[in-house]
Amino acid sequence: MKRSFVRTALAAAVLGLAGVPVAAPHAVARAEAEPPADASGRTAHAPQLPAAAPAQDWAPPLSTRGRYIVDARGERFKLKSGNWHGASGTWTGSGSPDDPADNHAGEKSGRMPLGLDRAPMSEIIAGFRELGLNSVRLPFSNEMIHDERPVADASVAANPALKGKTPLQVYDAAVEALTGAGLAVILNNHTNTTRWCCGVDGNERWNSSQSTEKWESDWLFMAGRYRDNPRVVGADLYNEVRRSVLDDPNWGLGDRHDWFAASQRLADRILQEANPGLLMIIEGINWTGLPVDGLPHGRPTLEPVQRLSHTLVRSGKLVYSAHFYGYTGPNHSGATGIGETSDPRYRDFTRSELYDVLRRQAFHVASQQDRHFTAPVWISEFGVGGREETGAKERAWFGNFTDFLIESDADFAYWPLVGWHEDRKGNGWALLHWDSEGRRMGVYDGDDWREDAWRRLVEAPGRTGEVARPDRWSMLSPDHGDFVASLRMRGVPDWDRGARKAACPDGQRLAGLSHSGNRGLCTDAGARGPVAGSPARSGPAGDAYEVVRDERHVEPGNDWAYGHTKLQCPPGQFLTGYSVRGAAVSAALCSEAGQSLGADGRTVWFDRSDSRPPDAGGGDFAYGHHKGQCADDEYAAGIAHTRRAGSSGAPGALLCRKLDRP
């Protein structure tokens, strides 16, 4: 009883400090900038949207090549998306979910995509096409998946075929209609409970109102549910991970609030167990700390990715995501009044200042090539008020932000696509609005100041055509447990029981190690897919892989690391992984090559300083630690370590040999 009271009191305090939604992009600003829907009048104004462009010719599934998303033919597929919200909930959390007044901006979704009471689904989706979109982010809640209550007849008045359906069945129908129209669909786990996001509301983390196990189970169910629909292309794992009343999320601490570890584990499970074709979309952390001047607080976004990045069991499936709204900032929650800090909002920055902040918070991931963290960045939410937004700063911010998206050739998704209006007044953030009589109002009607920026954004020239396959660089981080990124090695018995094991993704080889911190670097530079195609099995040299724990393969007279224990691969094999116990090396994982390998080598010492090629790819894969790395045309054939007095047994040298036999 006392604990419940304390938590309630703390929740009230945090809500007051944060202006209700701590790190709540679309929630705070809309509450402060948008008037409630005006139901007093009607208008017969005819929408003036252009004819829909032909559906883009693309071949699923999607994957990534460097900073670009590509289709099955290797051609660039730029996500030009919008958010069709509602299935994750519009209820504000107080009052009645059935009363529009208790739903965000007076818009009641009825536990399904918004607008189905006002317009046929086909008309709504045709509107998305007319906006120039090729994809839709479709939010859902975990509660929605299990909600067996049929939707209200009135909530599907314009879609009578949906009467009597559950929210999940309506969601199914939306997915089918969107993909049937040629649009790609990204599934988005927006909330745990079916209510408006995003404050201190029980939906702050993937496991705030439910267990991590339930979150994973629900995702495996959803990913598998649409496996046979190839135009369902992505899984956006969780929306706006942020602080709860008592705790912050983190990126890599290994506890139950570790968003890096949770998203890494789930992404691998989906790709291995449910749907190998999906893109795994991982958003950065949206907020940590209390928004009070003098206390630490801020919006980490994707900044931590430079030091700790994901490596998935299927390469080419990782996309990072971020959200930006003008009324928030890198250290501003978006609150006004009590809890408002002196930190600048994004709208307060000059154009050049904004660009610098955007690069620092998110776009460094896509702009730096040949790094362990290089990946596409999808701005899966951004938006601004429409006709009734008169603020000069908000308007300037939106223009500057869309210009940045254009100049960066970035993937994007506007929030939201669908809203309500009466007599052309209401929730002005949406690009398309329908009134209670089913009449549409849109951004292209000629009286919406956003029209020019939107047209420039969706029509902007960008990279098209085939994207060459880049070298892949991947980080191994067995910081708190196993980090086996190889599907091949996941299918074999535990090859070093009790140790923390790390293995490169299939088709990559170990290129570097850190002296402390246990980090590793993998690549396919210079030799893609060199691993033999025979089934993985343990055994003597010549088999598909071997676990090496001693010096049995060190050639007589070739002491390449004097005084150190040398875990060396046998001839014809190369390093694809390692295991550690504490800081000490436990074993080396060697894999059989499908090509000839050179025998001459060199020792790369890194026990006292960095030893990496001047033009080395991969970037800093172990920040703050000494690192050793082979050259791009070399493979690692051995790891040396020592247990002499004062040494921890951590790796201190690599044996690097040429890929091709001389």
Side-chain angles (χ1 to χ4, degrees), residues 499-564:
R500 303 194 311 280
K501 293 164 285 294
C504 295
D506 295 333
Q508 296 186 35
R509 66 186 184 280
L510 192 68
L513 283 174
S514 62
H515 176 57
S516 54
N518 302 130
R519 298 282 173 84
L521 180 69
C522 304
T523 189
D524 63 2
R528 297 191 175 100
V531 178
S534 57
R537 58 190 184 278
S538 60
D543 278 358
Y545 77 91
E546 182 178 355
V547 179
V548 178
R549 297 182 175 87
D550 54 34
E551 295 190 344
R552 70 184 64 188
H553 297 302
V554 178
E555 301 93 344
N558 185 24
D559 189 347
W560 52 270
Y562 180 76
H564 286 60

Side-chain angles (χ1 to χ4, degrees), residues 348-384:
D348 295 326
F349 293 118
T350 65
R351 184 183 180 92
S352 61
E353 289 171 338
L354 176 64
Y355 281 26
D356 288 344
V357 169
L358 294 175
R359 293 187 187 101
R360 170 172 60 84
Q361 289 205 286
F363 286 89
H364 62 278
V365 174
S367 63
Q368 298 182 61
Q369 298 303 300
D370 295 324
R371 300 290 190 268
H372 62 83
F373 55 79
T374 301
V377 171
W378 183 42
I379 304 305
S380 55
E381 285 189 28
F382 73 103
V384 71

Side-chain angles (χ1 to χ4, degrees), residues 436-600:
S436 57
E437 299 298 324
R439 289 173 290 217
R440 187 175 68 179
M441 175 180 74
V443 70
Y444 289 147
D445 286 359
D447 60 345
D448 192 318
W449 66 272
R450 300 171 298 177
E451 178 179 355
D452 177 64
W454 180 255
R455 284 187 185 275
R456 288 188 297 105
L457 178 60
V458 295
E459 296 173 4
R463 172 72 179 267
T464 60
E466 185 174 359
V467 177
R469 293 182 182 274
D471 294 333
R472 296 194 188 278
W473 298 91
S474 305
M475 172 187 281
L476 298 180
S477 53
D479 304 11
H480 308 289
D482 286 355
F483 201 95
V484 177
S486 165
L487 282 171
R488 181 169 165 269
M489 294 308 300
R490 286 185 172 211
V492 305
D494 190 336
W495 45 273
D496 194 358
R497 190 173 301 277
R500 303 194 311 280
K501 293 164 285 294
C504 295
D506 295 333
Q508 296 186 35
R509 66 186 184 280
L510 192 68
L513 283 174
S514 62
H515 176 57
S516 54
N518 302 130
R519 298 282 173 84
L521 180 69
C522 304
T523 189
D524 63 2
R528 297 191 175 100
V531 178
S534 57
R537 58 190 184 278
S538 60
D543 278 358
Y545 77 91
E546 182 178 355
V547 179
V548 178
R549 297 182 175 87
D550 54 34
E551 295 190 344
R552 70 184 64 188
H553 297 302
V554 178
E555 301 93 344
N558 185 24
D559 189 347
W560 52 270
Y562 180 76
H564 286 60
T565 300
K566 294 165 281 294
L567 309 181
Q568 183 174 327
C569 295
Q573 295 195 25
F574 58 96
L575 281 168
T576 55
Y578 57 97
S579 58
V580 294
R581 298 174 188 269
V585 177
S586 177
L589 177 66
C590 301
S591 294
E592 186 178 82
Q595 64 186 72
S596 61
L597 297 175
D600 294 336

Side-chain angles (χ1 to χ4, degrees), residues 183-206:
L183 295 165
V185 169
I186 296 94
L187 311 174
N188 165 232
N189 188 187
H190 210 69
T191 53
N192 302 161
T193 61
T194 306
R195 59 170 292 178
W196 183 252
C197 177
C198 299
V200 182
D201 54 7
N203 294 304
E204 301 88 355
R205 296 188 314 274
W206 62 99

Side-chain angles (χ1 to χ4, degrees), residues 6-22:
V6 170
R7 287 184 64 84
T8 302
L10 281 169
V14 174
L15 286 168
L17 288 171
V20 180
V22 172

